[in-house]
Amino acid sequence: MSRRPILWGVLIGLLLAALLAPWTGAALGRLAKARAARASAVAALAAPASDSAVLQPDLAFPRAEAIGAIRGRVERLAHGGGVLVEALAPAAQPAPLVMVELRVSGPEKAVLALADAIERERPLLRFHSWRVEAVAGGGVRLSGVLVGAVR
């Protein structure tokens, strides 16, 4: 075998590499930018959360009077709708939240209207979990956990 076909192959390969160099360089540049963006996103996710508010101040309860405000709202709405508040007790909660265990009973429409009214008023208060079950006498019992934010 002679050296001439090998030299032609090497020359053609070098020519193709020179012709493809701009596209290869652009692809490597985009790859470097994507890796840098990914690294900054991973660093941002790994950083501890700031103490900035998740909600606007008017949507959260004041920290000192959160349980009392929730108790007052539930009792006011229950009294206005003819619903019996059986239990209302604070529950364990993560740091920026307040949680209250609630159990009410009464006519079905009144209990559901109470649940709707509790969630519609401000500051925000939502049911984390809830359960409605029938009780003797044609009524229902709503039991659940209410969650609200504190400031």
Side-chain angles (χ1 to χ4, degrees), residues 1 22 26 48 63 75 135 140:
M1 180 173 208
R63 184 175 304 275
E75 288 176 353
V135 293
V140 295

Side-chain angles (χ1 to χ4, degrees), residues 25 31 41 44 47 52-53 76 82 84 98 116 121 149:
L31 178 63
S52 63
R76 176 179 47 84
L84 173 66
V98 61
D116 182 54
E121 285 191 5

Side-chain angles (χ1 to χ4, degrees), residues 40-67:
S40 67
V42 167
L45 289 175
S50 66
D51 288 339
S52 63
V54 177
L55 293 174
Q56 297 174 1
D58 65 324
L59 297 178
F61 290 95
R63 184 175 304 275
E65 51 197 56
I67 299 295

Side-chain angles (χ1 to χ4, degrees), residues 75-104:
E75 288 176 353
R76 176 179 47 84
L77 293 171
H79 179 70
V83 176
L84 173 66
V85 178
E86 295 178 7
L88 185 73
Q93 73 270 6
L97 300 176
V98 61
M99 296 177 83
V100 175
E101 293 180 10
L102 172 73
R103 190 171 62 237
V104 296

